[in-house]
Amino acid sequence: MISHAELAAEFGTPLYVYDLDELAAARDELFAALPEEFELFYALKANPHPGIVRELRTGARSCRAEISSTGELTAALAAGFTGADCLYTGPGKTAGELAEAIGHGVRLFSTDSVTDVRRVGAVATAHGVVADCLLRVNSVTASAATSIRMTGVPSQFGFDSETLIELLPALREVPGTRLAGMHFFPLSNADEASLIGEFQHTIATAAELAAAAELPLRYLDIGGGFAAPYGVPGERGAYPTLRGELAVALDKYLPSWRAGRPQIACESGRFLVGASGTLVTQVSNVKISRGRKFVIADAGINTFGGMSGLGRLLPVAVGLAPDSRGEQASLVGPLCTPGDVLGRHIALPPVEPGDLLSVPNTGAYGPTASLLMFLGRPAPMEVLVRGDRVVSASRIDYRRVEHVLPAKFESTEGI
């Protein structure tokens, strides 16, 4: 594989390097952990780079696309997906974006409220089509007590399971829609025991709700939550018994699942793409302030923002040589704000201005999950490699201004 130093010399820093071979390995590994009958959606929110999305569409078993915006739809289409390959999710779909999605052939939607279903139906009716709606369920109970919980609490996501049955008469009457099944996403970044327990609970809940409500269950998306490190060294989660445990639970509660009644699906973002990425950044300065060392790099929260700079998933850890003794320092970015911190008091190698640092496992939630436009700095370069070959090199250009002023508002005054 081409060295990060060579790529940095060629393309500059900050620089994301995405290894397509690692990406394909993660895809194949996750498919192997699931029963053969399962479909797998790639959540583009993790990384919508068309080259990455395209790689996940290939292989002996290929992913479908889970999208939640027209921008992600554009990325999916650019990567070779069709609208029919996509599941459109999100609690705040507008009529405009639904029109664009349905116009491009999207027919499967995860819906979160009666209003959401009605809006999908109105747009589908206007296009002369019928849209399949999965009812996202916010279960009142849960199995796993660990990991990041995504259910069992008040939320903008999903129908509360305890009130769903009373809403079904209204949902069944919505023109332009067909109730196709359910969608769950109960937790995130889970170990195998937690994930198996939650999937078992999800499958049992789906079967119980379908029977009690006489709800057609043609499709069931049981969610994801597959673990992978973020911005620190480590390996993807291992799920050696998941396949068998899922089969046992499905045989018990939904015995026709092997024949596709219902079709079962999972989804994943970080697990599929996280390990493929490395962030390479150059040290701009090293300074001591009142006894504390600060290493200032050209990558900050505008480059790797920990989910839009919220800091929930920081600090990062940089790669250290096996024989290197790390020293405590704060790794900060170049922005003119004290909040531009990638890690406080973390282990860093002895560095000088001009040295390169690498942050591993940054293939997910990188540029598009960061404060990309803050202070107007250029976006980082993104390079896709396969072995010793550069497949593509690109940079998001957010500084191009597109003037879309309607004629009735035009002025003779220049901008």
Side-chain angles (χ1 to χ4, degrees):
M1 182 176 174
I2 306 174
S3 74
H4 292 159
E6 289 180 82
L7 293 171
E10 178 67 27
F11 299 106
T13 57
L15 168 71
Y16 278 92
V17 182
Y18 303 123
D19 182 347
L20 293 180
D21 290 333
E22 177 62 34
L23 193 72
R27 177 199 61 215
D28 295 345
E29 185 179 317
L30 188 50
F31 267 118
L34 299 171
E36 291 183 5
E37 295 83 356
F38 271 50
E39 292 188 330
L40 177 61
F41 286 93
Y42 169 55
L44 268 73
K45 62 176 67 69
N47 191 329
H49 191 295
I52 284 177
V53 182
R54 186 177 298 112
E55 182 68 27
L56 292 171
R57 191 179 58 83
T58 63
R61 297 179 69 186
S62 60
C63 298
R64 295 180 66 180
E66 187 262 297
I67 58 176
S68 56
S69 71
T70 53
E72 290 183 348
L73 172 60
T74 299
L77 296 174
F81 284 106
T82 67
D85 296 321
C86 299
L87 166 63
Y88 204 115
T89 68
K93 310 174 195 70
T94 67
E97 66 185 82
L98 286 170
E100 184 171 343
I102 288 173
H104 279 99
V106 179
R107 294 293 181 270
L108 184 61
F109 295 87
S110 174
T111 54
D112 297 85
S113 65
V114 175
T115 300
D116 199 16
V117 175
R118 286 172 175 163
R119 187 168 290 138
V120 171
V123 176
T125 298
H127 281 73
V129 300
V130 174
D132 284 326
C133 289
L134 302 182
L135 305 181
R136 179 163 175 171
V137 178
N138 179 4
S139 179
V140 71
T141 59
S143 171
T146 60
S147 307
I148 301 173
R149 293 242 37 96
M150 302 285 288
T151 191
V153 296
S155 174
Q156 70 268 44
F157 298 108
F159 294 85
D160 294 340
S161 59
E162 66 272 28
T163 62
L164 178 58
I165 292 178
E166 66 189 59
L167 297 176
L168 280 173
L171 293 171
R172 287 192 174 100
E173 295 174 356
V174 178
T177 65
R178 177 171 49 186
L179 301 186
M182 297 182 221
H183 177 202
F184 292 75
F185 199 96
L187 76 171
S188 179
N189 212 36
D191 58 40
E192 184 175 46
S194 297
L195 200 60
I196 287 173
E198 200 60 58
F199 282 160
Q200 290 170 334
H201 180 265
T202 291
I203 292 165
T205 300
E208 180 183 344
L209 279 173
E214 298 182 354
L215 177 66
L217 193 59
R218 295 187 295 108
Y219 207 96
L220 175 61
D221 183 344
I222 63 174
F226 305 98
Y230 179 68
V232 295
E235 304 295 327
R236 291 185 295 270
Y239 300 94
T241 65
L242 176 63
R243 182 182 182 125
E245 295 292 346
L246 282 172
V248 169
L250 287 164
D251 284 341
K252 178 179 180 180
Y253 293 105
L254 298 168
S256 298
W257 72 278
R258 296 178 190 274
R261 300 188 303 273
Q263 174 64 57
I264 309 293
C266 278
E267 58 196 78
S268 178
R270 188 197 305 187
F271 182 96
L272 288 170
V273 300
S276 71
T278 301
L279 171 61
V280 183
T281 180
Q282 187 174 59
V283 176
S284 302
N285 195 10
V286 180
K287 64 169 290 188
I288 304 294
S289 175
R290 293 178 176 147
R292 287 179 53 192
K293 176 176 280 191
F294 291 84
V295 174
I296 304 169
D298 60 6
I301 57 175
N302 60 318
T303 302
F304 188 63
M307 294 299 288
S308 301
L310 296 177
R312 291 190 304 156
L313 302 174
L314 302 179
V316 303
V318 303
L320 294 172
D323 57 351
S324 172
R325 288 187 4 179
E327 56 184 7
Q328 293 292 307
S330 291
L331 179 62
V332 302
L335 304 183
C336 191
T337 169
D340 190 16
V341 179
L342 295 182
R344 290 185 175 89
H345 309 298
I346 63 174
L348 292 173
V351 292
E352 300 291 337
D355 288 346
L356 297 177
L357 296 173
S358 61
V359 182
N361 291 313
T362 54
Y365 304 115
T368 56
S370 302
L371 299 177
L372 195 60
M373 296 180 67
F374 188 45
L375 290 179
R377 287 182 173 266
M381 286 293 295
E382 296 178 275
V383 175
L384 274 63
V385 299
R386 194 188 303 276
D388 60 358
R389 182 169 61 93
V390 173
V391 175
S392 73
S394 60
R395 171 184 279 126
I396 299 170
D397 186 359
Y398 62 84
R399 295 181 296 179
R400 294 178 59 188
V401 178
E402 181 181 2
H403 297 289
V404 293
L405 188 67
K408 67 178 180 179
F409 293 114
E410 286 183 356
S411 168
T412 56
E413 182 179 351
I415 296 177

